[in-house]
Amino acid sequence: MANNAEAAAQPAVRLEHVSKKIGRKTIIDDLSFDIYGGEVFGFLGPNGAGKTTTIRMIVGLMRMTQGNIYIQGHSIKGDFKQAIRQVGAIVENPEMYKFLTGYQNLIHYARMIPGISKERILEVIKLVELQGRIHEKVKHYSLGMRQRLGVAQALLHHPSVLILDEPTNGLDPQGIHDLRNYLHNLSREEHVAIIVSSHLLSEMQLMCDRIGIIQKGKLIGVETVNDFIEKGSSKVRIQVDDGRLAAQTVKDKLAIDAVFIDDTTLEVPVEHEKIPVVVDTLVVSKIKIYSVIAVAKSLEDRFLEVTGGKSVE
Amino acid sequence: MSNFVGLLQNENMKIYRRSSAKVMMIILLGLILAAGLIIRFGSDQPKSDPHWKQTLIQDNKVNQKQLAQMKGNKQVANYLKKTIAINKYRIEHNLKPSPGETIWNFMEDAAGNLILVISVFTIIVVSTSIASEFDTGTIKLLLIRPIYRTEILLSKYISALLFTVVCLITLFIASWLLGGLLFGFGGVNEAHLVYDHGTVYQSSWTLAIWKGYLLNCVSLFMTVTFAGLIASVFRNGGLAIGLSIFTMMASSIVITLLGRYDWVKYVLFANTDLTQYTTGTPIRDEMTLGFSLAVLAVYYILFIFIGWAFYTRRDIKA
């Protein structure tokens, strides 16, 4: 695309001090962040944190009490048609008309946006591999097929912002793999901004470039997936001849709270750069070292760490 | 504009692809058939009367006598005057009254009762169209398109009213065909005699039937709009269907009971039956056609505005 550089300057989706109050309760509290074209943005948070409410405000299904949301520079409040035109979405489950066929469902949505050709509809059907059963009624579809039909309707009009709530729900491992590849292609090649929310954290780790964590309606942080994981305190697991002595030594000499795991193993919470210092100290103290393993942290560990391991309040 | 045609196509697809639409059409046709068979075979068709002019003169003498004795009851007096005038017109113009049921009589009878059925069907259609998308969750995918909620609601309302038109055309064609088959197509060219403020003139039966449809549809139109309002406000199809059918059925009884109170004329259902100004008697003497039309307009604007405000403003949590 020619206007990549230009598009990159302007965020595809911008949330500005967005708040939502229902009655006296504040559901969303002063949320601000940007999402750019060409990235897959993961929206993380425990149940009830406000993920779905935020997504509903982005697509105009709910009104915000304060603030504004811009999609490609168009306000969803003031310029709804221009803003929503850029968006393809599945909000929660892909609920389609069950008494219509998959094809009739797509025709239905195609009629609502000008410029969608019959070829485009067929192209999208092929993309989600529903060619064989597109003329069957949706009530006979499996959850995975409905999910794929949902993706198809979201892609019909070449959106520059794609919002998928729990997109891997109901897909088999092969389907998840294919979807992941497809989303990567969309973001890299067509410069689409993709917002994904999921409870499957391992899935998010593979799929997303950046993630935003929301808890109790507040944004805790927006970071790249790698930064996010590495920022967490890393740990090394060291195998020695005398675990008890080694743990005591590290505590005494380096003032690090090493954990004695068993007779021959200890775990030391230490930053990456300081691992040699720990090893040196142990060597000097004549402790025999058999192995040093960095304990990799998953997004899930980090997520639980950040959100305090709680789900619904 | 082409966009709005697309929306109507969508709503029509969602109305007619449901199995309930087919069931409604079958019920409608079944009821027309049942009515025809009952009228045709339930009673003996009287034979043609060769001395019909004498019979009519006799009838009119009796009617005149009754009219002279009448005091107060305007409705009956009007009916007698009308019968006398039409009988006179028949004698003068040599127009023999058809014995028993004719194709046109049958259509007139069928219209009166079956438009009530069509009202119920349209109430179901409009309530389902507006409210069911909240139950199934499809409303979320429907409203995230570059189309204002006002346009969506309007397309649902209009397509429901188009459903009424489809039903009326079905009713007209089916009752014409059945009427012809059961009572003979011979009566097709018969003139329709209209009594209007003391004078009688000839008119087309087709026109008269459609005029009847239209007058009966005033009540349908208001009740369907009311159902749409309830469906928009409460997002509950069952409630909208139940409440509007109940209101429609109960209204005539309640209005009759309240007839002696002055304020009854401001009640919606005291004004939906416009035949009270053509062939009947107004519920209260001071009511006029213009008054009823004004009352109907006020209710209509109120229904539309409240329904619209709720549909377009409230958050979608489905």
Side-chain angles (χ1 to χ4, degrees):
Chain A
M1 267 189 196
N3 59 350
N4 266 5
E6 192 189 313
Q10 183 195 3
V13 179
R14 156 165 272 173
L15 277 79
E16 269 181 11
H17 304 291
V18 173
S19 294
K20 172 78 183 171
K21 290 191 182 106
I22 295 178
R24 281 189 185 167
K25 209 175 163 214
T26 303
I27 310 288
I28 299 292
D29 191 5
D30 196 31
L31 220 56
S32 294
F33 59 90
D34 294 343
I35 298 157
Y36 295 92
E39 72 169 344
V40 183
F41 185 88
F43 208 33
L44 269 181
N47 287 330
K51 291 186 308 264
T52 301
T53 305
T54 307
I55 287 179
R56 281 169 190 238
M57 287 195 292
I58 295 176
V59 297
L61 289 176
M62 282 186 163
R63 285 156 180 264
M64 50 206 116
T65 315
Q66 269 159 29
N68 209 337
I69 295 172
Y70 298 94
I71 295 167
Q72 306 291 8
H74 302 284
S75 159
I76 195 78
K77 278 202 291 197
D79 195 3
F80 175 75
K81 283 193 177 183
Q82 278 303 314
I84 203 71
R85 208 188 181 110
Q86 320 290 331
V87 179
I90 303 178
V91 184
E92 285 182 312
N93 306 313
E95 282 125 344
M96 315 294 270
Y97 301 101
K98 289 183 183 170
F99 54 93
L100 299 179
T101 66
Y103 189 72
Q104 285 164 346
N105 268 285
L106 291 180
I107 291 275
H108 174 270
Y109 295 115
R111 281 188 191 132
M112 301 179 83
I113 304 167
I116 297 177
S117 63
K118 202 182 168 190
E119 286 71 37
R120 175 60 184 167
I121 297 176
L122 296 175
E123 193 181 305
V124 173
I125 292 169
K126 213 171 152 192
L127 190 79
V128 296
E129 291 173 9
L130 277 176
Q131 304 97 305
R133 302 189 55 187
I134 197 66
H135 291 293
E136 280 178 40
K137 286 195 174 168
V138 171
K139 64 178 157 202
H140 302 306
Y141 280 18
S142 67
L143 185 56
M145 290 169 70
R146 284 180 202 177
Q147 192 77 43
R148 281 185 280 158
L149 189 61
V151 172
Q153 64 78 28
L155 292 172
L156 267 179
H157 52 291
H158 292 287
S160 64
V161 174
L162 185 62
I163 299 172
L164 303 175
D165 213 351
E166 304 276 352
T168 53
N169 209 354
L171 294 182
D172 54 21
Q174 182 64 43
I176 294 175
H177 179 82
D178 292 349
L179 179 72
R180 195 162 61 220
N181 283 344
Y182 181 67
L183 292 184
H184 268 287
N185 285 343
L186 264 185
S187 68
R188 300 294 176 270
E189 281 158 31
E190 298 193 31
H191 207 70
V192 173
I194 301 175
I195 303 175
V196 179
S197 88
S198 179
H199 294 102
L200 292 173
L201 296 154
S202 52
E203 194 54 53
M204 296 284 263
Q205 196 168 355
L206 290 170
M207 207 182 273
C208 301
D209 302 312
R210 281 202 308 154
I211 47 172
I213 295 191
I214 182 172
Q215 192 185 21
K216 293 182 199 163
K218 284 187 182 167
L219 196 67
I220 300 180
V222 180
E223 292 169 88
T224 68
V225 170
N226 291 336
D227 280 355
F228 180 69
I229 295 167
E230 278 170 14
K231 260 195 191 165
S233 45
S234 58
K235 274 189 273 188
V236 284
R237 187 170 284 200
I238 306 173
Q239 272 205 327
V240 292
D241 52 354
D242 188 343
R244 198 181 300 266
L245 180 64
Q248 199 55 49
T249 309
V250 173
K251 268 184 200 164
D252 293 346
K253 297 201 172 172
L254 296 170
I256 295 171
D257 244 349
V259 182
F260 155 75
I261 305 271
D262 61 39
D263 282 347
T264 59
T265 316
L266 75 156
E267 233 174 47
V268 189
V270 65
E271 288 147 51
H272 196 70
E273 309 85 66
K274 285 198 172 167
I275 295 173
V277 180
V278 176
V279 175
D280 272 351
T281 309
L282 290 174
V283 170
V284 167
S285 308
K286 303 271 188 235
I287 289 163
K288 290 187 177 113
I289 298 172
Y290 297 97
S291 72
V292 180
I293 301 162
V295 183
K297 296 204 72 174
S298 69
L299 184 57
E300 187 161 342
D301 295 330
R302 178 72 176 121
F303 174 71
L304 291 174
E305 198 175 292
V306 169
T307 59
K310 280 178 233 154
S311 53
V312 195
E313 277 297 302
Chain B
M1 195 58 216
S2 67
N3 223 349
F4 193 75
V5 174
L7 292 185
L8 284 181
Q9 281 178 301
N10 278 348
E11 294 309 324
N12 282 340
M13 178 167 76
K14 287 185 271 183
I15 290 174
Y16 298 102
R17 293 276 175 189
R18 274 181 214 269
S19 43
S20 58
K22 282 154 211 156
V23 173
M24 287 178 200
M25 282 300 166
I26 291 169
I27 292 178
L28 184 61
L29 292 173
L31 285 175
I32 297 170
L33 185 66
L37 293 177
I38 289 169
I39 294 173
R40 176 69 181 80
F41 300 107
S43 57
D44 293 330
Q45 292 280 312
K47 289 218 172 74
S48 190
D49 179 7
H51 311 293
W52 59 273
K53 279 193 185 173
Q54 276 87 337
T55 315
L56 286 186
I57 290 168
Q58 275 299 321
D59 283 355
N60 267 3
K61 273 185 189 157
V62 177
N63 288 338
Q64 288 284 8
K65 213 187 248 172
Q66 275 189 334
L67 189 60
Q69 291 164 350
M70 285 292 310
K71 270 170 207 147
N73 197 336
K74 231 176 119 188
Q75 203 161 350
V76 179
N78 265 339
Y79 174 77
L80 288 173
K81 276 185 199 160
K82 179 186 166 183
T83 316
I84 292 165
I86 287 183
N87 285 348
K88 265 188 191 158
Y89 189 90
R90 284 191 181 282
I91 296 164
E92 282 161 22
H93 293 81
N94 201 25
L95 288 170
K96 184 182 169 191
S98 352
E101 193 83 347
T102 65
I103 176 169
W104 295 114
N105 291 145
F106 172 64
M107 289 179 76
E108 207 175 23
D109 295 344
N113 296 313
L114 286 172
I115 284 179
L116 197 67
V117 175
I118 294 176
S119 301
V120 172
F121 288 168
T122 313
I123 286 169
I124 294 172
V125 164
V126 79
S127 306
T128 309
S129 171
I130 292 173
S132 76
E133 303 226 19
F134 290 95
D135 299 335
T136 58
T138 50
I139 190 76
K140 289 177 290 186
L141 292 185
L142 187 71
L143 295 185
I144 55 165
R145 314 285 149 179
I147 290 169
Y148 293 125
R149 291 189 195 178
T150 308
E151 299 169 84
I152 301 267
L153 184 61
L154 188 65
S155 69
K156 286 181 175 295
Y157 181 59
I158 291 180
S159 59
L161 293 177
L162 286 176
F163 176 81
T164 305
V165 174
V166 170
C167 287
L168 288 179
I169 293 173
T170 308
L171 171 65
F172 185 84
I173 295 173
S175 61
W176 189 84
L177 281 175
L178 189 71
L181 287 173
L182 292 177
F183 308 108
F185 285 103
V188 162
N189 293 320
E190 192 193 338
H192 181 240
L193 297 183
V194 183
Y195 173 79
D196 185 22
H197 294 99
T199 55
V200 176
Y201 61 91
Q202 293 191 30
S203 161
S204 137
W205 261 109
T206 309
L207 205 71
I209 296 287
W210 277 100
K211 199 179 156 197
Y213 285 178
L214 267 182
L215 285 174
N216 274 306
C217 276
V218 174
S219 167
L220 176 149
F221 187 63
M222 295 304 292
T223 325
V224 165
T225 308
F226 178 69
L229 158 79
I230 301 292
S232 302
V233 172
F234 296 102
R235 298 178 175 181
N236 182 331
L239 181 72
I241 294 168
L243 200 59
S244 24
I245 293 180
F246 174 77
T247 316
M248 186 174 70
M249 300 296 186
S251 63
S252 62
I253 304 165
V254 174
I255 293 299
T256 320
L257 287 176
L258 296 176
R260 58 205 173 91
Y261 297 106
D262 177 44
W263 49 263
V264 78
K265 63 187 176 201
Y266 299 112
V267 175
L268 171 64
F269 286 98
N271 295 283
T272 48
D273 179 18
L274 294 182
T275 57
Q276 62 184 312
Y277 305 112
T278 55
T279 51
T281 323
I283 289 163
R284 290 190 66 83
D285 290 343
E286 68 269 30
M287 287 168 71
T288 63
L289 181 63
F291 173 83
S292 280
L293 289 177
V295 171
L296 290 176
V298 170
Y299 274 101
Y300 185 74
I301 291 167
L302 213 63
F303 287 175
I304 292 285
F305 178 77
I306 297 172
W308 169 80
F310 272 83
Y311 194 85
T312 54
R313 268 147 223 276
R314 274 176 65 191
D315 284 346
I316 309 296
K317 290 175 197 156

